[in-house]
Amino acid sequence: QVQLVESGGGLAQAGGSLRLSCEASGRAFSDYAMAWFRQAPGKERESVAAISWNSGFTHYADSVKGRFTISRDNAKNTAYLQMKRLKPEDTAVYYCAAVQQAKAFLRLRLPIERDEYKFWGQGTQVTVSS
């Protein structure tokens, strides 16, 4: 089991930046692939970015490529999402998610779909004004 707590959300102007953090507690953080998802009002929760246990693999949604960067610090049990050049359409609740990949064969592939992630944080609101 792992517990996830997001922070860093808030209000930003278009073109601005925010950095989200996701602090994990519980079992070994480095056993988990981590991801960020977001959900805007009236829309389904969508993948934003994902990162493998050792930061060797990353994945980004097309809508955020070149603007967002996912990273992690296993020594601090924390994952990050650096968001730059924000757009109003980035407005959403952002969720941190984790899935355990303790076994070697699981680490050959980076999960990117919502249904592949087992543990979720409560979410943090990001609002981008035009």
Side-chain angles (χ1 to χ4, degrees):
Q1 285 269 350
V2 64
Q3 293 78 43
L4 306 174
V5 178
E6 303 97 334
S7 62
L11 179 64
Q13 290 190 332
S17 299
L18 284 173
R19 189 176 82 154
L20 306 183
S21 297
C22 173
E23 185 171 357
S25 60
R27 295 179 62 88
F29 181 67
S30 60
D31 282 348
Y32 292 82
M34 302 295 296
W36 290 93
F37 292 78
R38 67 186 181 187
Q39 188 167 16
K43 295 188 176 182
E44 291 191 356
R45 194 171 298 188
E46 63 177 3
S47 172
V48 175
I51 188 166
S52 62
W53 67 281
N54 64 348
S55 304
F57 298 102
T58 58
H59 172 82
Y60 296 94
D62 288 342
S63 58
V64 307
K65 280 181 182 177
R67 300 189 299 121
F68 291 10
T69 303
I70 189 170
S71 61
R72 64 189 296 162
D73 185 337
N74 286 348
K76 295 183 178 180
N77 287 1
T78 303
Y80 304 97
L81 185 68
Q82 177 68 54
M83 304 185 294
K84 297 182 179 179
R85 303 200 304 277
L86 284 162
K87 303 176 181 180
E89 50 264 44
D90 294 321
T91 295
V93 177
Y94 283 71
Y95 296 90
C96 175
V99 61
Q100 191 175 22
Q101 294 192 310
K103 297 184 178 180
F105 78 93
L106 293 174
R107 297 181 175 186
L108 297 176
R109 177 183 170 275
L110 175 62
I112 61 173
E113 301 295 336
R114 180 183 60 190
D115 292 345
E116 296 181 285
Y117 282 83
K118 185 174 181 180
F119 303 100
W120 293 83
Q122 294 298 309
T124 185
Q125 177 70 46
V126 171
T127 302
V128 183
S129 62
S130 57

